[in-house]
Amino acid sequence: MLPAFTSLRHFSTTTMRRAVSEFRMTVPWGEMRGQVWGPSNGRPVLCLHGWADNSGTFSTLIPLLPKDWRFVAIDFPGHGLSSHRPDGCLYTFPLYVADVRRVVEALQWKQFSIIGHSMGGNVAGIFSALYPEMVDAVVLLDTYGFLPTQMTDMFKNMRKGIDDQIHYDNKTDERKERVYTYEKAKERLKAANPFLSDQSADILLERAVREVEGGFVFTRDFRINLKNIVNNNIEQCLHMLSLVKARVMLLLAKDGLFKMFTLPNGYGDRIQKSWTDQKVRCAHIRTSISGTCLSVVKQKYLS
């Protein structure tokens, strides 16, 4: 049975007011948290945030979308208010995919749609390839859905990720949490995300920090910064892409992820061409994908 939703609150935007409740479910290492909008019998849509973000990513988007849909936005483990993974455990994409499978099992969703931003979009791509019968539509925000790595780098990354994890495990005395004032925490968040507005930063910080004596500490697990040890090469990514049966839409930002992070050897163009061959819709916008610019989904998604 799905645990009860608690902590009903309301989120106000300039466009509409939407009730949002807290999602909580038990997992073997603690609990996964998130937010829920819409009626229990509404069209099911799972919302997956990006790396180092949380479900607050979608708080300005959901009020712009149909109010008779059921949106569940999760905090991935190690992010937001969800529990961190157990000591000694690494953060990898296959485990994030398994987290999604746990959530939809608890929700008893047999078929649903996904909106995935950045890392969440890559999780959505892999999940849609592994479970094509479960996903009817996908919106990929500032991601191609797959993140290929050159073959020569795959095992370097694996070695570095393992070494980083062991180093972290052995340095227990260096893990003291740094305490910030709220404004300093906000400054740090905005420095890492220069396109964030003050309002968006405040929304993310609702789940990104917790209050302690003397100020605030960030809730995310430091281990999410360690090198991911499980990578896929371009051939693996293109094969997974071919397995996706859902309708897919790409929303790519001119000043988004791929301005700062360039995929090697034209990999991005190869993936985009493969999506185009599968009749995927692609839209380019001139700003970063954040805040109300995501309202384009309302116009083009799931018509």
Side-chain angles (χ1 to χ4, degrees), residues 48-270:
L48 306 177
H49 65 77
W51 173 78
D53 289 338
N54 57 63
S55 60
T57 294
F58 299 97
S59 293
T60 54
L61 170 60
I62 302 305
L64 300 170
L65 297 177
K67 58 187 177 182
D68 57 345
W69 292 0
R70 180 72 161 183
F71 298 96
V72 176
I74 64 170
D75 295 338
F76 279 117
H79 297 72
L81 301 181
S82 288
S83 299
H84 297 180
R85 296 207 190 279
D87 288 347
C89 187
L90 298 105
Y91 286 85
T92 66
F93 277 94
L95 286 182
Y96 288 132
V97 173
D99 296 328
V100 171
R101 187 65 184 86
R102 290 178 189 275
V103 169
V104 296
E105 179 75 13
L107 291 167
Q108 299 182 356
W109 286 358
K110 302 302 181 185
Q111 192 172 65
F112 59 97
S113 306
I114 305 178
I115 303 175
H117 174 237
S118 194
M119 180 189 82
N122 295 332
V123 175
I126 299 171
F127 187 94
S128 300
L130 291 178
Y131 299 97
E133 74 285 359
M134 298 185 72
V135 184
D136 58 15
V138 183
V139 170
L140 301 174
L141 305 175
D142 209 18
T143 177
Y144 293 113
F146 300 95
L147 192 64
T149 301
Q150 293 190 92
M151 181 73 77
T152 53
D153 292 332
M154 291 175 65
F155 302 105
K156 292 179 184 177
N157 292 345
M158 184 178 293
R159 173 172 172 157
K160 178 170 174 50
I162 293 171
D163 289 347
D164 286 351
Q165 177 72 46
I166 293 172
H167 177 79
Y168 177 85
D169 291 342
N170 290 337
K171 296 294 183 180
T172 55
D173 57 328
E174 297 179 7
R175 298 187 203 167
K176 186 177 179 180
E177 295 175 316
R178 183 173 177 182
V179 179
Y180 299 84
T181 65
Y182 182 83
E183 287 306 316
K184 288 295 184 183
K186 187 173 178 178
E187 286 178 15
R188 180 178 174 184
L189 180 65
K190 292 187 70 175
N193 301 271
F195 294 108
L196 281 180
S197 66
D198 278 347
Q199 181 196 29
S200 295
D202 287 332
I203 291 170
L204 286 175
L205 285 172
E206 286 183 20
R207 307 178 76 83
V209 295
R210 59 183 172 85
E211 193 167 7
V212 297
E213 184 177 354
F216 296 84
V217 296
F218 282 93
T219 59
R220 63 177 176 257
D221 190 340
F222 177 83
R223 289 176 294 167
I224 68 172
N225 298 297
L226 304 182
K227 181 67 72 174
N228 179 20
I229 69 167
V230 181
N231 303 134
N232 296 298
N233 61 33
I234 184 65
E235 288 76 18
Q236 290 171 312
C237 289
L238 292 176
H239 175 69
M240 284 191 288
L241 186 154
S242 72
L243 300 177
V244 176
K245 303 305 179 186
R247 288 177 292 138
V248 179
M249 181 178 180
L250 273 66
L251 279 175
L252 301 174
K254 178 182 177 183
D255 293 323
L257 174 66
F258 296 110
K259 182 175 182 179
M260 300 174 286
F261 178 80
T262 304
L263 291 176
N265 299 328
Y267 286 176
D269 292 337
R270 291 181 65 183

Side-chain angles (χ1 to χ4, degrees), residues 2-23:
L2 181 67
F5 298 123
T6 59
S7 306
L8 185 68
R9 65 183 177 85
H10 286 81
F11 175 74
S12 179
T13 71
T14 56
T15 54
M16 65 176 71
R17 188 173 178 86
R18 292 288 297 271
V20 53
S21 56
E22 188 74 4
F23 171 73

